[in-house]
Amino acid sequence: MIDLVFLGPPGAGKGTYARKLKEILGIPHISTGDIFREAVAAGTELGRKVKHILESGELVPDEIVNEVVRERLSEPDCEKGFILDGYPRTVAQAEALDEMLKEMGRSLMWAILFDVPEDVVVQRISNRRVCPKCGRIYNLITNPPKEDNLCDECKVPLIQREDDKEEVVRRRYRVYMENTLPVVEYYEKKEKLQKIDGTAGLDTVIEEVLKLVNKD
Ligand code: AMP
């Protein structure tokens, strides 16, 4: 089973790599951020609970996130593996994930940290645009759409995520540093951590991940 966790600051490219690897490996890309944004857009009970938290850039409480992930991992498409993106973000979540996997009779293959310096992150996020229909991610500088501000697939205007605005980005970076570095240390101690240079370009990064996955 290819059970993976992707770690790295907002803007490290986790979402882009996970989408690509999902196609190659045939395992789902599970982004807790996407799940929450969809719940907010759909106006579900979960969405109403987390809307203000997402807008502020703070973290959703562990109990809520853990429950969402537990349900998602029990779905049949996770049988061969999964890529968790944006989870775990705290040590309590990492412990909860270990427990969940143990209950399911499986264990994490790797936690992969995509290393990217802060200035690169800020540049990437402020130029990031998303298709509101299919979720495809673009960068106005490094990965622009073919037609000005339109999704290549859906042809609808791209949007900037509310939490990609500069002020929120800075806050999310700070929150990431405070909360997620202990998660990196947690996996390091368990010898489950692998680091990949997140500035190396899409193809190189994908190759590196595939090497790790095939080696195990
Ligand atoms: P992301 O797209 O991963 O940056 O997530 C967007 C927002 O969703 C974050 O700023 C948090 O408010 C919330 N969120 C996503 N994943 C988690 C998580 N694992 N723990 C707590 N909050 C989360």
Side-chain angles (χ1 to χ4, degrees):
M1 268 169 281
I2 307 173
D3 295 354
L4 300 173
V5 158
F6 280 9
L7 300 171
K14 301 186 297 289
T16 308
Y17 308 139
R19 276 159 190 275
K20 188 101 193 153
L21 287 158
K22 171 186 165 174
E23 282 168 33
I24 300 172
L25 298 171
I27 54 176
H29 163 215
I30 303 169
S31 153
T32 43
D34 283 351
I35 293 174
F36 290 134
R37 276 185 293 277
E38 278 160 23
V40 170
T44 62
E45 197 191 329
L46 174 67
R48 283 196 299 277
K49 265 194 226 163
V50 301
K51 185 170 190 284
H52 295 293
I53 305 174
L54 258 69
E55 278 165 2
S56 72
E58 295 289 345
L59 289 184
V60 172
D62 289 336
E63 316 82 76
I64 298 180
V65 196
N66 290 339
E67 206 37 50
V68 163
V69 172
R70 180 187 298 278
E71 276 174 28
R72 184 63 188 84
L73 293 186
S74 68
E75 286 180 29
D77 65 338
C78 293
E79 246 166 44
K80 282 202 306 179
F82 54 77
I83 298 170
L84 275 168
D85 164 15
Y87 177 95
R89 265 189 169 78
T90 64
V91 170
Q93 291 178 13
E95 287 167 349
L97 176 63
D98 276 347
E99 199 51 42
M100 274 178 234
L101 291 175
K102 204 167 143 197
E103 281 167 22
M104 297 167 81
R106 49 210 276 183
S107 68
L108 195 72
M109 188 183 216
W110 293 120
I112 302 177
L113 171 65
F114 297 96
D115 251 341
V116 181
E118 184 174 356
D119 54 345
V120 178
V121 162
V122 170
Q123 189 272 345
R124 277 187 184 173
I125 295 199
S126 53
N127 287 299
R128 180 154 80 182
R129 297 294 181 275
V130 184
C131 172
K133 206 168 158 206
C134 72
R136 188 162 159 187
I137 302 161
Y138 295 86
N139 183 290
L140 297 182
I141 294 166
T142 56
N143 178 27
K146 291 193 188 92
E147 285 173 66
D148 197 24
N149 211 44
L150 289 185
C151 177
D152 292 350
E153 294 282 321
C154 314
K155 306 290 176 203
V156 296
L158 302 177
I159 56 164
Q160 184 176 38
R161 263 168 45 182
E162 204 49 46
D163 58 357
D164 282 349
K165 305 256 159 84
E166 188 175 332
E167 197 190 302
V168 184
V169 169
R170 290 191 189 286
R171 175 152 214 185
R172 284 166 66 208
Y173 195 89
R174 211 200 55 208
V175 169
Y176 166 79
M177 291 307 231
E178 280 173 9
N179 292 287
T180 315
L181 282 184
V183 175
V184 171
E185 286 162 9
Y186 175 89
Y187 287 123
E188 212 158 28
K189 262 192 232 139
K190 296 198 164 231
E191 298 186 348
K192 287 280 179 183
L193 189 78
Q194 292 285 350
K195 286 187 196 174
I196 290 183
D197 176 6
T199 63
L202 182 62
D203 292 344
T204 312
V205 171
I206 297 294
E207 241 172 68
E208 292 293 314
V209 176
L210 290 176
K211 263 191 239 160
L212 285 177
V213 168
N214 292 327
K215 219 168 37 185
D216 204 78

